Amino acid sequence: MVEDDAAELICISVIDGEYFIFDIDAVKRVRNDHHVAGILVGTLPQVPQQSVFLGLPVQLMPEEAALLVQQGVAHIIDEALSHGTILAVDENNIDEAAAKLKINELESTESESQGALASYSTPTVSSTDKYPLPESSVSAIYDTPRFHIYKYLHQKGYFISPGLRFGSQFLAYPGDPLRYHSHYLVRGLGYDEEFPLLELVGSGRLGTGVKKAWMVGARLRNDYQDNFAVLRPSQTKDGEGSESNDDFVSFCIEWAGFG
Amino acid sequence: MDDLDEDYDNVPATQGRGEQEDAESDDEQQDWRILPAMGSNRRSLPKRGEKEYEPTGSSSDRNNLDESRQAMYIALNGERRHTSKVHISGIWYPHLQKAKVLVARGPHFKSIGKADSNGVIWLLPEEVIYLMERGSMSLYNAHGDTNISLQGCYAACLGACHGHERYLVYAHLKRLGFIVQRAASFDGYVGEETVQKLTSSRARKLWNFLVQKFASFCIGLRCVFAKKIPSFGPIVCGGVWRSYDSIYKALQIIPFYSHRGSIATRKSTTAPFRVAYNIWKPRPSFKKSSPGEPDFRVVVVNAQKDKMPTLAQVDALFATLPTAHGSTSTSQQRLRDGYKNVIIGVVDCGIISFVKFGDVSFGDERIFEKKAANSTTTKYRPTKK
């Protein structure tokens, strides 16, 4: 349904404050068209007793969800609301016998169609009415250093994943993390924000030790832009650099073994 | 830089290799193209594939990426289906935040679910999501008219799991085959069972404390009468020293933390530093009714929201744990695992790291005595896991 209508908004489910994508077509779209990979967090039903290959749903970082909404390609669906009518129950009036009868009916129709050995399947996505949330549900993070650097790198074409494995805010990959190693341990800062120099040593050395570089970056403050023109990244080679990238400045730190 | 080279040279060969492997495996080297082969032989563990440095723009590069993606999408599109032999079905009751089990076939119930006095089995929300994700269960709503989807299951159950982080850690450990159950302190309330254990261990600690004090008092007396510690000058002087042992003992003048010497008074733990799950290694003899002491305890924290625990928080957390009694354990084990230990699972948007915190009293391990006994050097590993 999604493929024939590319303009349709991608549905990002918000459940208990976390962002998920359950629909495989949406997963393909964000990965192929918007280079947002997310993290697979579900058990893969074909090979359930391992944690190397995981399955749906895909969890998105708040920054990923917010960016897709800001770009107008996705909207946030409140799944608790969307499933409200299905899951609703009147505590004082539970008719379990009737429910069991209906379940038997449901299960028998399904097993009949399966022939000899009855089998039961679980759909991945519900076909309920969707309750989209307004953009304001994610826009609170638009003006955070994390979001600034996320957006900056995303616009430059990087794939970005959570940075826990190397103790940073994000990891930046030059291509799809399926095929390529990450290049940067990313730390977004406020422009005037101070950080301990020891962090530079620690992260710089750690990054170099795992064949990556540590990147710090911040969005230039408006009144600083003219004074720091020299720091602005020049137009990127392929001419892809959009205006919004001009107000961002980033540095990479690598630990060189001189001497 | 010299010190950099030195650092690397000093790392023992085995450790160095381990670190490298870790770094690589941490970088999620998944090659989904090998996954279809695993379907036929499920016993083999998945292998990791090769990654490139960066896109080169070549057509083979492009093909590899497309193949990998295609293989992944096919795997992700796999159906969640199970046969009637291992059928599990249940009804989700949102007001109870539990699922009532209607059909319970298959091996899962050895370690999952809890039966009430009527013999009805109930599943906790994390157990429901886990079974649904692996395609082992059908879940219905209270009216019985909808086969709830995985998405609906998340919408219904995740809020009752006390955070997605906890569910992720639960599912990760279940996938690896561990037996995982909610700890008494799961929702902050420390149950009666733990309180009893605590009082008994507190009495023991008090006793240990008194013994320790008496012992140190005796040692003090001996020092005063036999070998005075001078207020200045060398600590070891005068008298006759017949062994290095006694010299080392005399040198031990710096106070140190001793597990035996400290009394753990019960303090209230603070979220999230409470044991969320008890973990047992897989064993055929496991009984839900009498699980025995868990092999591990795990606390779950959020990498972005939570800070490193303060000493007071760790202290309060350790006070809720029983002391491990390993009389047979070697000093190396005691230093590695501590008298008590707890595993902290740190979760950042779907990625989990585990760190072990141990209550270790280094000063109690008198290395010099052992050195004298077998004159071998012993190396100790850091307790971080």
Side-chain angles (χ1 to χ4, degrees):
Chain A
M1 74 184 183
V2 170
E3 273 157 357
D4 43 23
D5 182 12
E8 194 179 327
L9 287 179
I10 294 165
C11 294
I12 299 174
S13 308
V14 62
I15 302 170
D16 199 30
E18 312 280 343
Y19 300 96
F20 300 98
I21 298 182
F22 286 87
D23 180 29
I24 179 72
D25 292 319
V27 171
K28 286 182 196 172
R29 272 181 73 193
V30 296
R31 192 165 195 129
N32 296 353
D33 305 342
H34 304 285
H35 56 92
V36 168
I39 296 288
L40 288 164
V41 290
T43 306
L44 197 64
Q46 300 95 315
V47 220
Q49 295 298 154
Q50 47 83 38
S51 284
V52 178
F53 296 98
L54 293 178
L56 295 173
V58 162
Q59 185 179 6
L60 297 182
M61 294 184 281
E63 288 77 16
E64 291 174 316
L67 186 82
L68 291 169
V69 171
Q70 196 185 37
Q71 292 183 338
V73 294
H75 58 171
I76 307 285
I77 307 291
D78 186 330
E79 293 299 343
L81 270 181
S82 305
H83 289 81
T85 39
I86 292 180
L87 296 169
V89 62
D90 181 5
E91 290 175 39
N92 305 315
N93 186 20
I94 293 172
D95 190 353
E96 208 180 287
K100 276 185 185 164
L101 274 179
K102 282 187 194 158
I103 291 169
N104 277 340
E105 217 171 279
L106 271 180
E107 291 195 335
S108 60
T109 50
E110 195 190 348
S111 51
E112 263 171 19
S113 62
Q114 290 302 319
L117 192 58
S119 73
Y120 306 90
S121 73
T122 302
T124 309
V125 190
S126 312
S127 50
T128 53
D129 294 335
K130 295 181 170 63
Y131 286 85
L133 294 174
E135 190 179 348
S136 60
S137 71
V138 291
S139 60
I141 68 164
Y142 285 174
D143 204 27
T144 58
R146 272 180 70 98
F147 187 71
H148 292 161
I149 200 162
Y150 175 86
K151 191 176 174 185
Y152 169 73
L153 286 168
H154 184 268
Q155 275 173 347
K156 290 219 170 285
Y158 284 92
F159 277 75
I160 297 143
S161 79
L164 178 71
R165 290 193 177 99
F166 299 100
S168 59
Q169 284 178 344
F170 301 110
L171 291 179
Y173 295 77
D176 193 318
L178 271 182
R179 296 290 313 152
Y180 308 104
H181 290 291
S182 58
H183 285 189
Y184 303 114
L185 317 181
V186 180
R187 170 89 149 93
L189 290 165
Y191 190 79
D192 292 323
E193 192 179 340
E194 298 190 346
F195 67 96
L197 274 179
L198 279 179
E199 188 182 337
L200 185 141
V201 179
S203 308
R205 286 191 79 144
L206 186 143
T208 309
V210 293
K211 297 176 194 155
K212 304 180 200 310
W214 186 57
M215 171 189 277
V216 277
R219 175 172 283 183
L220 287 178
R221 261 175 41 182
N222 284 341
D223 50 328
Y224 278 28
Q225 281 194 33
D226 298 326
N227 299 340
F228 287 77
V230 67
L231 288 178
R232 277 188 226 162
S234 53
Q235 201 78 355
T236 44
K237 284 163 275 174
D238 43 10
E240 220 181 358
S242 60
E243 307 82 36
S244 57
N245 266 349
D246 282 357
D247 60 359
F248 200 91
V249 59
S250 60
F251 299 92
C252 287
I253 283 106
E254 222 175 310
W255 211 260
F258 292 120
Chain B
M1 213 197 275
D2 277 338
D3 67 327
L4 191 68
D5 294 338
E6 254 172 42
D7 287 355
Y8 286 122
D9 289 343
N10 287 344
V11 177
T14 47
Q15 200 188 331
R17 223 177 296 133
E19 264 172 11
Q20 241 170 34
E21 264 170 31
D22 276 353
E24 278 168 18
S25 68
D26 276 352
D27 209 356
E28 228 192 344
Q29 296 205 353
Q30 309 165 343
D31 193 342
W32 288 79
R33 289 171 294 179
I34 57 135
L35 193 69
M38 285 162 55
S40 53
N41 181 17
R42 290 192 177 189
R43 285 182 179 278
S44 68
L45 278 171
K47 281 180 208 131
R48 295 162 186 281
E50 294 286 313
K51 280 198 190 184
E52 311 289 334
Y53 178 69
E54 62 186 0
T56 57
S58 68
S59 63
S60 78
D61 208 42
R62 193 72 226 162
N63 287 345
N64 277 335
L65 176 60
D66 286 345
E67 268 179 41
S68 292
R69 279 186 174 168
Q70 212 45 45
M72 181 174 84
Y73 295 147
I74 288 169
L76 293 185
N77 217 3
E79 212 183 356
R80 297 186 153 75
R81 180 173 284 282
H82 59 272
T83 63
S84 57
K85 272 189 195 164
V86 288
H87 184 44
I88 301 169
S89 69
I91 300 179
W92 176 253
Y93 286 118
H95 59 296
L96 301 174
Q97 307 220 309
K98 281 180 187 171
K100 186 175 200 168
V101 176
L102 303 178
V103 183
R105 296 192 200 126
H108 289 291
F109 288 92
K110 277 179 190 156
S111 58
I112 266 183
K114 196 170 186 180
D116 64 12
S117 51
N118 300 324
V120 178
I121 304 174
W122 294 88
L123 289 175
L124 292 169
E126 60 266 28
E127 296 172 329
V128 175
I129 306 183
Y130 172 70
L131 289 173
M132 290 283 280
E133 264 184 3
R134 71 200 302 291
S136 307
M137 179 176 177
S138 301
L139 186 70
Y140 300 91
N141 60 351
H143 308 294
D145 54 8
T146 311
N147 183 7
I148 297 177
S149 69
L150 183 67
Q151 193 178 29
C153 173
Y154 262 75
C157 304
L158 194 62
C161 291
H162 288 235
H164 184 235
E165 295 86 28
R166 283 196 174 177
Y167 172 70
L168 283 175
V169 169
Y170 173 86
H172 179 83
L173 294 167
K174 285 294 289 179
R175 278 194 293 268
L176 297 180
F178 289 103
I179 297 162
V180 188
Q181 300 212 323
R182 278 191 183 186
S185 54
F186 183 83
D187 32 22
Y189 169 71
V190 178
E192 240 179 316
E193 187 197 7
T194 328
V195 175
Q196 271 170 14
K197 261 186 207 154
L198 270 173
T199 39
S200 66
S201 70
R202 210 199 291 178
R204 198 166 47 234
K205 267 175 216 145
L206 186 63
W207 172 245
N208 287 341
F209 174 73
L210 291 176
V211 170
Q212 177 80 5
K213 280 285 165 220
F214 182 68
S216 57
F217 176 69
C218 293
I219 291 170
L221 274 184
R222 218 192 66 197
C223 286
V224 170
F225 289 112
K227 298 189 175 73
K228 272 188 231 161
I229 297 176
S231 52
F232 60 91
I235 299 160
V236 179
C237 65
V240 182
W241 300 87
R242 295 184 197 282
S243 72
Y244 280 111
D245 255 22
S246 52
I247 296 175
Y248 286 132
K249 257 179 211 150
L251 286 173
Q252 224 180 17
I253 56 167
I254 298 170
F256 57 85
Y257 167 79
S258 170
H259 177 83
R260 276 173 289 176
S262 67
I263 297 189
T265 45
R266 226 171 117 222
K267 301 152 198 113
S268 53
T269 55
T270 43
F273 298 103
R274 296 180 177 125
V275 177
Y277 296 110
N278 289 328
I279 323 269
W280 292 264
K281 290 175 193 165
R283 60 183 66 137
S285 58
F286 183 83
K287 276 205 179 72
K288 277 188 292 187
S289 51
S290 58
E293 277 291 296
D295 294 312
F296 311 101
R297 293 172 176 82
V298 65
V299 173
V300 181
V301 302
N302 181 311
Q304 287 177 39
K305 291 181 192 139
D306 301 319
K307 298 238 179 313
M308 187 80 182
T310 63
L311 189 57
Q313 284 171 323
V314 175
D315 208 25
L317 172 62
F318 277 132
T320 65
L321 308 175
T323 312
H325 295 287
S327 54
T328 53
S329 64
T330 64
S331 99
Q332 195 171 341
Q333 278 170 331
R334 282 196 299 274
L335 288 178
R336 197 180 55 207
D337 299 331
Y339 288 84
K340 294 172 171 186
N341 65 63
V342 65
I343 292 168
I344 298 199
V346 190
V347 183
D348 181 10
C349 289
I351 291 171
I352 313 171
S353 282
F354 290 103
V355 184
K356 186 160 83 178
F357 278 54
D359 184 4
V360 187
S361 58
F362 279 82
D364 283 336
E365 304 297 333
R366 301 190 169 213
I367 308 301
F368 55 84
E369 285 173 3
K370 271 175 218 94
K371 252 190 183 169
N374 48 29
S375 67
T376 52
T377 48
T378 332
K379 279 183 183 166
Y380 296 103
R381 303 209 324 237
T383 54
K384 188 170 174 268
K385 198 179 166 188

